[in-house]
Amino acid sequence: MNQFGFYFDQTRCTGCSACRVACKDWNDIPAGPENWMRITYTEKGKCPDVFVSYLASPCWHCDNPMCAAACPVDAIHKREEDGIVVVDRDRCLGNSACDEKCRKACPYHAPQFGPEPGAKMGKCNLCLDRIQAGKKPICVDACPVRAIDAGPLDSLEKQYGRARTAAGFTYAKRVRPAVVFKPKPTSP
């Protein structure tokens, strides 16, 4: 299988949320708590020795997606041709009926639900429509500092290396997320 994934350069990200806003716009996600791309913030130390970093957090399209295993109606599956994890929203029972089992199973809480009762699960699908059109996901194109890239994981590893950790991120071996990083050094 040709596993697609993400590259994230933590040394470039300024936490501007352009990727998050572009994702919501492209995927017609209403304003509110549902975010298929999330930005987290890490701060450590005491003045004058402080460390600050940001982490863009989409779905990492894991090799062993726990969300798919947890879904009681098989609404989530991993595509054979590219390893992208997708959800069939017509099949999803919604947050009330299944108690968000997929979100609870994911170590990165990538599955997202709207606030309304019965909301269906949504998550990053790596902009599958754009990938199939030969384009990059919208978050990649929206990033003003080019901190995000996406594509076949083996190509990303050749171009950027094989670092699997970064500040604010723990690599979960049991799910094997499809991501490589350029982590921000925690000390000079």
Side-chain angles (χ1 to χ4, degrees), residues 111-188:
Q112 297 283 299
F113 292 89
E116 68 279 6
K120 305 284 184 151
M121 188 273 267
K123 62 173 237 16
C124 165
N125 66 2
L126 248 164
C127 289
L128 188 56
D129 55 337
R130 293 176 60 88
I131 293 282
Q132 290 172 334
K135 297 177 181 178
K136 296 282 186 176
I138 196 70
C139 58
V140 174
D141 285 350
C143 181
V145 295
R146 303 288 177 237
I148 305 172
D149 198 359
L153 190 59
D154 57 349
S155 297
L156 295 174
E157 290 173 341
K158 285 178 188 169
Q159 185 171 356
Y160 301 114
R162 299 176 56 92
R164 298 283 194 228
T165 60
F169 181 85
T170 300
Y171 184 83
K173 290 181 182 177
R174 67 184 170 118
V175 298
R176 297 179 300 280
V179 59
V180 291
F181 291 101
K182 181 176 182 181
K184 186 172 182 179
T186 55
S187 59

Side-chain angles (χ1 to χ4, degrees), residues 86-99:
V86 295
V87 60
D88 180 346
R89 291 181 78 139
D90 291 333
R91 184 177 273 191
C92 175
L93 296 175
N95 58 358
S96 303
C98 83
D99 195 29

Side-chain angles (χ1 to χ4, degrees), residues 6-179:
F6 279 104
Y7 163 73
F8 179 65
D9 184 342
Q10 195 169 45
T11 67
R12 290 186 173 207
C13 182
T14 61
C16 73
S17 289
C19 56
R20 186 178 63 79
V21 172
C23 175
K24 284 186 88 111
D25 183 49
W26 183 262
N27 293 293
D28 292 324
I29 303 168
E34 184 179 357
N35 288 291
W36 298 1
M37 172 65 85
R38 294 157 291 132
I39 308 297
T40 57
Y41 170 81
T42 299
E43 181 178 323
K44 297 178 183 175
K46 290 183 177 181
C47 190
D49 297 317
V50 295
F51 171 82
V52 174
S53 68
Y54 299 93
L55 179 71
S57 298
C59 169
W60 299 118
H61 302 281
C62 300
D63 186 43
N64 182 27
M66 292 288 105
C67 59
C71 180
V73 293
D74 297 325
I76 306 167
H77 78 275
K78 185 169 181 68
R79 292 167 40 101
E80 282 295 321
E81 60 268 39
D82 50 29
I84 296 173
V85 179
V86 295
V87 60
D88 180 346
R89 291 181 78 139
D90 291 333
R91 184 177 273 191
C92 175
L93 296 175
N95 58 358
S96 303
C98 83
D99 195 29
E100 302 183 8
K101 287 180 174 44
C102 56
R103 181 174 165 79
K104 292 174 181 173
C106 174
Y108 306 107
H109 303 292
Q112 297 283 299
F113 292 89
E116 68 279 6
K120 305 284 184 151
M121 188 273 267
K123 62 173 237 16
C124 165
N125 66 2
L126 248 164
C127 289
L128 188 56
D129 55 337
R130 293 176 60 88
I131 293 282
Q132 290 172 334
K135 297 177 181 178
K136 296 282 186 176
I138 196 70
C139 58
V140 174
D141 285 350
C143 181
V145 295
R146 303 288 177 237
I148 305 172
D149 198 359
L153 190 59
D154 57 349
S155 297
L156 295 174
E157 290 173 341
K158 285 178 188 169
Q159 185 171 356
Y160 301 114
R162 299 176 56 92
R164 298 283 194 228
T165 60
F169 181 85
T170 300
Y171 184 83
K173 290 181 182 177
R174 67 184 170 118
V175 298
R176 297 179 300 280
V179 59

